[in-house]
Amino acid sequence: MFKEDCLFCKIAAGTIPGNKVYEDDCILAFHDIAPAAPVHVLIIPKKHIDSMNEVTTDDLPLIADIHGIAIQLAKELNVDQSGYRLINNCGPDSGQAVQHVHYHLLGGNKLGALIGNSDSHA
């Protein structure tokens, strides 16, 4: 499912370039253009889903696969031992800036607390 006005759908389709670190038939991972940490990768399903609130029971295997890819990428990007954060923002108060389910994989240095207002994890 592709949504024409969705930035991440366009990246997944290849109509907008992305610095890819992983791709298969269902999932794409690419470097964030405004990294909040030395390692900042976005992991998305290629299927358009607006937010976690829209995930159906049928989508749960895809979400599980995204988590598996996050573990794999943490190892490949050498942050699995030092520590990393996997974040999904859902809705406007969370700072979700793109209405397409996505996860932020962040690491590479000591990460600050996730309290208060921050634009770094949109």
Side-chain angles (χ1 to χ4, degrees):
M1 186 162 129
F2 178 85
K3 190 172 178 184
E4 287 190 27
D5 64 343
C6 174
L7 173 66
F8 289 170
C9 284
K10 291 177 182 178
I11 293 171
T15 58
I16 292 178
N19 187 1
K20 298 176 187 177
V21 294
Y22 177 87
E23 183 172 19
D24 66 23
D25 291 340
C26 300
I27 298 169
L28 176 65
F30 53 94
H31 290 282
D32 193 294
I33 61 168
V39 171
H40 189 167
V41 171
L42 298 173
I43 308 168
I44 67 167
K46 289 184 176 180
K47 173 185 177 183
H48 183 85
I49 305 169
D50 277 345
S51 76
M52 285 301 289
N53 288 335
E54 307 304 321
V55 170
T56 67
T57 302
D58 291 340
D59 296 322
L60 293 178
L62 176 61
I63 299 302
D65 288 346
I66 288 172
H67 283 250
I69 296 304
I71 294 166
Q72 174 186 323
L73 288 173
K75 290 176 184 173
E76 291 175 8
L77 297 168
N78 299 312
V79 295
D80 60 315
Q81 297 301 307
S82 60
Y84 61 96
R85 194 172 280 158
L86 186 63
I87 300 171
N88 169 263
N89 295 316
C90 181
D93 284 351
S94 74
Q96 182 181 3
V98 178
Q99 299 306 303
H100 185 119
V101 166
H102 60 283
Y103 289 81
H104 298 258
L105 174 65
L106 298 121
N109 64 6
K110 188 165 177 64
L111 301 171
L114 279 180
I115 57 174
N117 293 325
S118 172
D119 292 333
S120 68
H121 296 54

